[in-house]
Amino acid sequence: VKPAYKQGDLRGTCQRIAEAVLGRDDDWQIGKTKIFLKDHHDMLLEIERDKAITDKVILIQKVVRGFKDRSNFLKIRKSVLLIQRYWRGHNCRRNYTVMKIGFLRLQALHRSRKLHKQYHVARKRISEFQARCRGYLVRKAFRHRLWAVITIQAYVRGMIARRLYKRLKGEYRRRLEAEKMRLAEEERFKKEMSAKKAKQEAEKKHQERLAQLALEDAEREVREKEEARRKKELRNKIGR
């Protein structure tokens, strides 16, 4: 079968291939643009395609090996003819053997030195490339960790600031309520006693309430520290 670009009737070519491999009476059908096949039909066509490709590959290998062998043969023949033309007789044959052995040794030495040099050059380049890649990965990981640490710090600082704001706001509100209560008590005591004594009595109760609020704040702070310590211990146990 000719290549696709040399085919005039591709549909007819596909039909001939299917008839040749699958048979005319088998369960397959050709449409306008596609061929409808069963799974075993597809497998048979794939096997035939692999066989054809294998045959072509073997042919290419034979041609390449033949060309290579002919080239090597012509080179050796040319060398032998050149040596035979200048060195004749017994001495020539003996010297030819010596020269041939030396030439083969020289080739091996030259090839070994060439490969040794190429190996060291490639190893140096690979080492430099590995060093650059490792440096890039380390810098990338460092930047990622730095970004993560900065993000965590920002969230923690925000959380601490919100808690502090909430606590200060609560303290301010309680102190404001205490001040209102002091003023109310002072007005109430003014009806029962003099203004100076009413003010002193109201201030005394106000200071007692402030002391109670301070005590409650201290107890709340102790509870928060204890809760934070328990959470930290729990995280450490889970991490282990």
Side-chain angles (χ1 to χ4, degrees), residues 12-43:
T13 303
C14 293
Q15 186 174 1
R16 289 195 299 272
I17 292 173
E19 290 177 354
V21 176
L22 305 176
R24 297 185 177 181
D25 299 331
D26 208 344
D27 189 11
W28 61 273
Q29 186 67 34
I30 185 168
K32 291 183 179 181
T33 58
K34 296 180 181 179
I35 298 178
F36 301 93
L37 303 172
K38 299 293 185 179
D39 290 339
H40 64 279
H41 295 155
D42 190 16
M43 184 177 64

Side-chain angles (χ1 to χ4, degrees), residues 124-146:
K124 183 179 179 181
R125 292 177 179 175
I126 291 172
S127 299
E128 292 177 356
F129 180 72
Q130 286 179 342
R132 292 179 182 273
C133 290
R134 288 169 183 166
Y136 169 76
L137 292 176
V138 169
R139 289 191 295 272
K140 184 178 180 181
F142 173 76
R143 287 195 297 269
H144 181 71
R145 291 179 181 177
L146 180 62

Side-chain angles (χ1 to χ4, degrees), residues 9-112:
D9 184 13
L10 296 177
R11 187 174 183 278
T13 303
C14 293
Q15 186 174 1
R16 289 195 299 272
I17 292 173
E19 290 177 354
V21 176
L22 305 176
R24 297 185 177 181
D25 299 331
D26 208 344
D27 189 11
W28 61 273
Q29 186 67 34
I30 185 168
K32 291 183 179 181
T33 58
K34 296 180 181 179
I35 298 178
F36 301 93
L37 303 172
K38 299 293 185 179
D39 290 339
H40 64 279
H41 295 155
D42 190 16
M43 184 177 64
L44 290 175
L45 291 173
E46 188 66 23
I47 291 173
E48 292 298 327
R49 188 178 71 86
D50 290 341
K51 288 181 179 179
I53 292 174
T54 303
D55 293 339
K56 298 300 181 183
V57 169
I58 292 173
L59 179 61
I60 292 171
Q61 288 178 345
K62 289 171 63 177
V63 172
V64 171
R65 288 171 182 169
F67 174 76
K68 183 178 178 182
D69 292 338
R70 284 193 298 274
S71 299
N72 292 333
F73 171 75
L74 292 175
K75 289 180 181 179
I76 295 173
R77 183 183 178 186
K78 184 178 180 180
S79 300
V80 170
L81 292 176
L82 181 63
I83 294 171
Q84 286 179 350
R85 188 170 59 189
Y86 287 96
W87 300 92
R88 300 286 181 182
H90 175 70
N91 291 332
C92 227
R93 288 190 295 271
R94 185 181 61 185
N95 293 332
Y96 166 72
T97 304
V98 174
M99 289 176 64
K100 185 177 180 180
I101 294 173
F103 182 70
L104 292 175
R105 289 179 179 176
L106 181 63
Q107 279 185 339
L109 180 62
H110 175 71
R111 289 170 183 169
S112 65

Side-chain angles (χ1 to χ4, degrees), residues 96-208:
Y96 166 72
T97 304
V98 174
M99 289 176 64
K100 185 177 180 180
I101 294 173
F103 182 70
L104 292 175
R105 289 179 179 176
L106 181 63
Q107 279 185 339
L109 180 62
H110 175 71
R111 289 170 183 169
S112 65
R113 288 183 179 179
K114 186 177 180 181
L115 291 174
H116 182 73
K117 184 177 180 181
Q118 291 177 353
Y119 167 74
H120 279 283
V121 172
R123 183 179 180 181
K124 183 179 179 181
R125 292 177 179 175
I126 291 172
S127 299
E128 292 177 356
F129 180 72
Q130 286 179 342
R132 292 179 182 273
C133 290
R134 288 169 183 166
Y136 169 76
L137 292 176
V138 169
R139 289 191 295 272
K140 184 178 180 181
F142 173 76
R143 287 195 297 269
H144 181 71
R145 291 179 181 177
L146 180 62
W147 173 83
V149 169
I150 292 173
T151 304
I152 292 172
Q153 287 178 347
Y155 277 105
V156 170
R157 288 169 183 168
M159 181 181 66
I160 293 173
R162 286 190 294 272
R163 287 183 179 178
L164 181 60
Y165 170 75
K166 185 177 180 182
R167 186 175 63 186
L168 293 176
K169 186 177 180 181
E171 291 179 359
Y172 173 75
R173 188 178 299 167
R174 289 193 297 272
R175 289 180 181 274
L176 186 62
E177 290 176 356
E179 183 66 22
K180 290 180 179 180
M181 290 177 66
R182 185 187 69 80
L183 295 175
E185 288 178 349
E186 185 178 352
E187 292 294 330
R188 185 168 55 83
F189 288 150
K190 282 181 180 180
K191 297 178 181 180
E192 301 175 359
M193 58 187 73
S194 63
K196 185 177 180 181
K197 290 183 179 181
K199 186 176 182 180
Q200 290 177 354
E201 189 68 22
E203 184 66 25
K204 181 180 178 181
K205 291 184 177 297
H206 179 65
Q207 293 298 328
E208 290 177 357

